[in-house]
Amino acid sequence: MNSDTLLLLKPAADWNEALPIGNGRLGAMVFGGVEHERLQLNEDTLWSGGPVDASDPEKWRLLQQARDLIFSGQHAEATTACQALQGPFTESYVPMGDLLLEFEHEDTAHGYRRTLELDTACARMEYSIGGVRFERRYYVSAVDQALVVEITASEPSAITLSIALTTLHTSEIETSPGSLRLTGRVPVHIEPNYRQVEPAIVRDETPGGGGLRFCMHVSARHEGGSIGERDGALRIVGASSVTLLLSAATSFRGPLEPVGHEMPVDPVSHERLLAADPGSRFAAHVEDYQHYYRRVQLDLGANQEAINSPIDERLAAVRAGAADSGLAALYFQFGRYLLISSSRPGTEAANLQGIWNKDLRPAWSSNYTSNINVQMNYWPAETTNLSELAEPLFRLIDALRVTGQDVARSYYNSPGWCAHHNVDIWARANPVGDGEGSPCWANWPMGGAWLVQHLWEHWLFTGDRAFLEERAYPAIRGAAEFLLAFLTESPDGHLVTCPSVSPENTFQYTDPSGARLQAEVTYGSAMDLALVREVFRNAIEGARALGIEDDLALCLSGALERLPEFDIGPDGELREWPAGAEETEMGHRHISHLY
């Protein structure tokens, strides 16, 4: 077996054990059931809600109160003041539906195996029943913009199955000879899964009302046997092979555009694809995919016995202390595979779960969590030779520059632009929380400062001067302008960020009575200072590279000289917050100060 293959010897017991496939826009989780097969489907523009103006021209007036409380050591009161600086929550990335295949078998399956081939971006499964070997191949073609399922048997007339489409949304199903079409509408608002509010899901059932529209279209071709329709599903009886094509579309027009209320038209010609030779169709998919994947190889001396073992057994063996260098190489390539499958030029950026999500109220809304998660998605882009795949992230940053200007002005009375820890497809840039969120995640205006580092790294890796001039430098400059205005003077005369948090972490301090208390907001966290230094230096260097001479570079240089040095504790540790603030949870998962 190829070293770039994941092997499993049983179907998925739950969604986390299903195999992810995708073409950047359309994704599926393949469960691999023998009699009951489920392909859970997503389309990367299918989100609840729509563009929202989250600016509030009076919010910035509350900023000074929060700063006064922080500088005077009133951390509990500062938490409440920061919550008053919060706006509405983001919307949610929602599942599109399921493709369900029900196979009619008369006996128990033997010799079951399923694989995910990273080198060809396809999932396979095979098993035997009554002396007949059944095989299935699944892939999502970026060339043809369709999910392809190919089912074959070693004996003629052995395949009988039903094909259905389902969804969690308001929908209708249409049938025609050899095809199904499901149309639907998603909710106009979904609360994050961690909020206990009602209604948590808001739908608009009125004709012409809100909510993105979407369609799924599946067509079937069979060799031998017959095809018919029953109870809104297709039924194929006695076929020797079956090919299914599924495509999808939504009424999404863009992050800053009103929600489209017209039903989208399926852009794919299934007749053309079904008539194509299966071999050439798969070959075109593989060639397109390997254009990215085969740029990098990693050989850590894999053991062939381990390579031929199921992935769950390999993981268990490593947990027990076994050496498996090939598993590390496989994990590295699996990360590249996921990025190729969830982010392509022209698609939307990979979100918290890439493009794969089964829940109507997914964990953390499956949004773009910009206090580390969306950045982690794209760390492999430049460093593993997938530079073009960061283009969707750059377009998201383009949109955030627009919405983030309103947020910077209305929440902070500042020029430039900023973004906070939660972003959605509608480029929401405001601090979320609705007045009740924990400031350690909600009141963090440094998301834009971190995101522009990806633009700078793209310039460093590619040397693309046009990219620097037209895209990277304007975004970096805007982020620098915001940070320069956001900085304020601390009691010891330094320039610091305030309010300041270290994402999702808390600290302890001693109040005047000697009590040890827990808090979230302070000033000048280590991560903030690192981000400010980086953005300012990149803005100065970018202007120099482009021959731009203005007062901004001088102002940034002056501000850099007034930033406090990083604080080193008595044991040589880098302090996460200013002196006097000690971490509540040693080894917190974010280790943000190591930025």
Side-chain angles (χ1 to χ4, degrees), residues 38-375:
R38 176 189 178 194
L39 284 84
Q40 187 269 309
L41 307 167
N42 290 98
E43 205 276 354
D44 71 344
T45 64
L46 199 62
W47 289 66
S48 62
V52 173
D53 182 2
S55 62
D56 184 336
E58 299 302 314
K59 283 284 189 184
W60 67 271
R61 299 184 185 278
L62 304 172
L63 179 61
Q64 191 58 49
Q65 178 191 8
R67 285 175 166 171
D68 291 342
L69 291 168
I70 290 168
F71 286 134
S72 63
Q74 300 178 71
H75 296 290
E77 295 82 356
T79 292
T80 302
C82 285
Q83 288 176 320
L85 280 163
Q86 296 170 3
F89 283 90
T90 63
E91 291 296 338
S92 298
Y93 178 60
V94 297
M96 184 168 59
D98 289 347
L99 173 63
L100 302 177
L101 310 180
E102 299 289 332
F103 291 85
E104 297 182 15
H105 291 309
E106 298 179 353
D107 204 347
T108 303
H110 300 281
Y112 178 96
R113 56 184 281 141
R114 63 185 174 113
T115 56
L116 180 63
E117 298 177 358
L118 304 185
D119 188 53
T120 59
C122 80
R124 299 177 187 266
M125 67 169 289
E126 54 184 292
Y127 56 91
S128 297
I129 293 180
V132 180
R133 193 66 177 166
F134 295 89
E135 296 185 9
R136 304 178 204 164
R137 181 168 68 182
Y138 314 79
Y139 61 94
V140 188
S141 170
V143 176
D144 294 322
Q145 287 298 307
L147 164 68
V148 182
V149 180
E150 298 169 348
I151 307 163
T152 59
S154 62
E155 298 291 336
S157 307
I159 303 170
T160 296
L161 78 156
S162 297
I163 305 152
L165 289 173
T166 64
T167 186
L168 298 174
H169 307 295
T170 303
S171 64
E172 296 180 355
I173 191 82
E174 307 168 23
T175 62
S176 59
S179 70
L180 301 172
R181 188 171 190 266
L182 184 148
T183 56
R185 186 197 305 190
V186 303
V188 295
H189 177 66
I190 297 178
E191 289 285 343
N193 70 314
Y194 47 84
R195 295 198 79 198
Q196 303 301 314
V197 296
E198 293 295 338
I201 300 171
V202 181
R203 302 181 188 274
D204 182 355
E205 307 292 355
T206 61
L212 280 171
R213 274 63 166 172
F214 70 96
C215 72
M216 295 187 287
H217 183 192
V218 62
S219 296
R221 183 182 70 179
H222 60 100
E223 297 293 335
S226 62
I227 188 169
E229 182 270 331
R230 184 173 66 184
D231 299 328
L234 299 178
R235 187 166 187 265
I236 297 175
V237 178
S240 300
S241 68
V242 175
T243 299
L244 305 178
L245 295 174
L246 184 141
S247 60
T250 80
S251 60
F252 178 76
R253 297 169 175 169
L256 307 179
E257 298 297 325
V259 171
H261 292 167
E262 70 285 354
M263 191 56 67
V265 177
D266 185 357
V268 175
S269 169
H270 287 217
E271 292 77 11
R272 174 183 63 83
L273 295 183
L274 285 170
D277 174 73
S280 62
R281 181 173 55 228
F282 181 66
H285 154 73
V286 171
E287 180 181 9
D288 168 80
Y289 168 78
Q290 289 181 345
H291 169 69
Y292 299 106
Y293 184 78
R294 285 195 169 181
R295 294 174 181 177
V296 171
Q297 293 180 333
L298 179 62
D299 183 355
L300 300 178
N303 177 280
Q304 192 61 46
E305 182 179 352
I307 290 174
N308 292 332
S309 300
I311 191 68
D312 49 350
E313 294 181 10
R314 294 177 71 178
L315 289 167
V318 169
R319 291 189 190 100
D324 188 350
S325 58
L327 187 62
L330 180 64
Y331 190 51
F332 168 82
Q333 291 289 34
F334 184 59
R336 298 180 69 247
Y337 166 83
L338 290 175
L339 183 59
I340 300 169
S341 301
S342 61
S343 182
R344 294 285 195 100
T347 72
E348 300 307 310
N351 63 52
L352 192 59
Q353 296 177 188
I355 53 171
W356 302 279
N357 166 44
K358 64 177 173 61
D359 297 315
L360 199 53
R361 293 183 71 192
W364 301 287
S365 302
S366 195
N367 60 23
Y368 302 108
T369 306
S370 62
N371 67 10
I372 192 170
N373 298 93
V374 70
Q375 291 90 345

Side-chain angles (χ1 to χ4, degrees), residues 473 476-477 480-481 483-484 535-540 551-561 563:
Y473 179 72
I476 295 169
R477 180 188 177 96
E481 288 174 327
L483 293 174
L484 185 63
V535 172
F536 283 8
R537 288 167 178 166
N538 292 348
I540 293 169
D551 292 339
L552 180 62
L554 292 175
C555 293
L556 297 178
S557 296
L560 280 169
E561 295 177 358
L563 295 177

